[in-house]
Amino acid sequence: MRRRYGYYWTKLILVPVVIGAAIVVFIWIGDSWWQMFTAAIFAFLFTQTAFLGHDAAHRQIFRSGRWNDWVSLIIGDLFIGMSYGWWQHKHTRHHANPNRIGSDPDIELPVVAFTPEQATRPRPALMRWVIAHQGVFFFPLLLLEGLSLHASSVHRVLMREKVQRRPVEIAFLTVRLLGYLTLVILVLSPDKAAVFLAIQLGLFGVYMGMSFAPNHKGMPLVPAGLKLDFLRRQALMSRNIRGTRLLDFAMGGLNYQIEHHLFPSMPRPHLRRAAPLISKYLTSHDVPYTQTTLWRSYAIVFHYINRVGLGERDPFECPLLAQRQHLGAS
């Protein structure tokens, strides 16, 4: 749990430097179709920056909550264009009740059904068809996730519900979204600007979605009335992704989802070291420690989403029953 100030100060300094350098390169290249590669670079940089904002929001960087809040605001709103207040409101509920039906906003999405009940809700004919084939559409839909994150952020800061530091968020989001759009329009011709934005927003959404989706999707869902202790509530509904330190970097530490949910304020560099300790502890208490490869996790997500869309999945799979079945199989 020790703070890693050197690690995080290095990243905090690199964020404006690297993004600033990318902007200079963008201006230097000018009105060219080569900028489509620059769009992919921006998508990568914005996602990596979002991972750093995630760390700050979980109090992993500084001891001071105020410092972490301001880093989250600057990184989230000013550098990424994603409202810290919106993210905090949503993500806090997810951490409190991961995969709990009716409580976890991550399994309450408008275009994807995670339970047969959601799949059979009254919807327009086209939406019903999409959900029936959602296994095929899930990953392509991530192309729209980047645009959705920006739109949800703007909606959140403009709605009447209480938002802390609303003027700051509005100012930062305005500078980021309008400033970035103005830069692209000034440098590129209209056709290239449209393709550039489509590529950058699409890849940003795919990268974000493919980093978050493997961690809980396809794990047991918790019925609304079922009570679980903290250890099982967090560990049974989370999945780790095995890999090298390169994967740790690519996924921003989200591949250690069990450790992150048990210790949200643990600095990202310590998650790899903590993993074997937590695995040993869970095993000694007969709690499964679920981990798999990255591609296997995507396959699990695809098959799970597909089965729900086809109405073949029972969402009320009790985590304790799933635990006993897991132990019996092993």
Side-chain angles (χ1 to χ4, degrees):
M1 302 299 291
R2 179 174 56 86
R3 304 293 171 179
R4 292 291 301 272
Y5 292 113
Y7 172 88
Y8 279 116
W9 271 116
T10 300
K11 284 186 171 289
L12 289 172
I13 293 170
L14 283 175
V15 164
V17 171
V18 174
I19 292 181
I23 292 174
V24 170
V25 171
F26 175 75
I27 296 173
W28 176 71
I29 294 175
D31 188 22
S32 167
W33 286 106
W34 288 105
Q35 295 281 27
M36 305 312 118
F37 292 100
T38 313
I41 292 173
F42 273 113
F44 173 80
L45 292 178
F46 290 151
T47 305
Q48 284 290 322
T49 304
F51 292 153
L52 184 60
H54 174 262
D55 291 358
H58 277 294
R59 308 295 193 259
Q60 295 179 21
I61 299 181
F62 301 107
R63 294 185 183 276
S64 168
R66 183 180 178 84
W67 276 55
N68 283 302
D69 282 341
W70 275 101
V71 168
S72 300
L73 280 166
I74 293 170
I75 288 178
D77 293 68
L78 191 58
F79 281 93
I80 308 170
M82 189 170 70
S83 165
Y84 168 54
W86 167 78
W87 180 90
Q88 187 181 47
H89 175 73
K90 175 177 178 291
H91 200 64
T92 299
R93 290 182 291 147
H94 162 69
H95 265 265
N97 292 286
N99 276 21
R100 179 181 291 275
I101 297 171
S103 300
D104 184 357
D106 285 5
I107 59 171
E108 292 285 342
L109 303 179
V111 295
V112 179
F114 291 98
T115 70
E117 180 186 19
Q118 293 174 359
T120 56
R121 287 175 183 170
R123 303 173 189 265
L126 178 60
M127 187 60 66
R128 289 199 306 270
W129 183 85
V130 170
I131 288 179
H133 301 81
Q134 64 180 11
V136 176
F137 288 116
F138 179 71
F139 289 105
L141 281 172
L142 293 179
L143 290 167
L144 301 176
E145 181 64 15
L147 185 61
S148 175
L149 291 173
H150 293 315
S152 297
S153 296
V154 172
H155 179 263
R156 173 70 180 172
V157 299
L158 295 180
M159 65 190 304
R160 294 192 176 186
E161 290 186 21
K162 181 180 179 181
V163 177
Q164 291 185 339
R165 303 185 180 92
R166 187 193 302 271
V168 174
E169 291 221 48
I170 291 176
F172 282 178
L173 284 174
T174 300
V175 170
R176 164 58 174 85
L177 297 177
L178 293 184
Y180 180 69
L181 183 62
T182 300
L183 175 66
V184 172
I185 292 174
L186 288 176
V187 172
L188 300 179
S189 57
D191 56 340
K192 294 184 183 71
V195 176
F196 176 91
L197 290 171
I199 292 175
Q200 187 267 297
L201 289 170
L203 293 181
F204 173 62
V206 169
Y207 191 1
M208 289 282 284
M210 294 188 76
S211 298
F212 282 90
N215 305 320
H216 299 283
K217 306 298 184 287
M219 297 300 288
L221 297 186
V222 184
L226 180 65
K227 295 187 180 298
L228 295 171
D229 61 78
F230 175 81
L231 180 68
R232 288 170 175 78
R233 186 169 73 247
Q234 302 298 339
L236 287 176
M237 269 53 75
S238 302
R239 179 194 300 115
N240 278 14
I241 310 300
R242 288 194 300 266
T244 64
R245 292 185 183 276
L246 180 60
L247 183 68
D248 296 354
F249 169 75
M251 295 191 69
L254 296 176
N255 46 318
Y256 298 105
Q257 197 68 192
I258 297 173
E259 289 73 23
H260 174 59
H261 266 256
L262 291 173
F263 301 96
S265 61
M266 179 181 290
R268 190 199 313 179
H270 293 321
L271 294 174
R272 173 175 281 269
R273 296 175 57 194
L277 302 176
I278 292 174
S279 174
K280 182 179 179 180
Y281 181 85
L282 292 181
T283 301
S284 69
H285 286 75
D286 294 330
V287 178
Y289 183 86
T290 304
Q291 58 179 335
T292 186
T293 64
L294 181 64
W295 299 113
R296 174 58 183 158
S297 70
Y298 291 146
I300 291 171
V301 173
F302 169 80
H303 289 297
Y304 172 73
I305 296 296
N306 193 54
R307 290 177 64 184
V308 172
L310 295 174
E312 299 176 1
R313 175 87 177 187
D314 180 5
F316 297 99
E317 178 183 356
C318 174
L320 299 182
L321 176 60
Q323 176 184 357
R324 287 196 293 270
Q325 292 173 339
H326 175 89
L327 292 173
S330 61

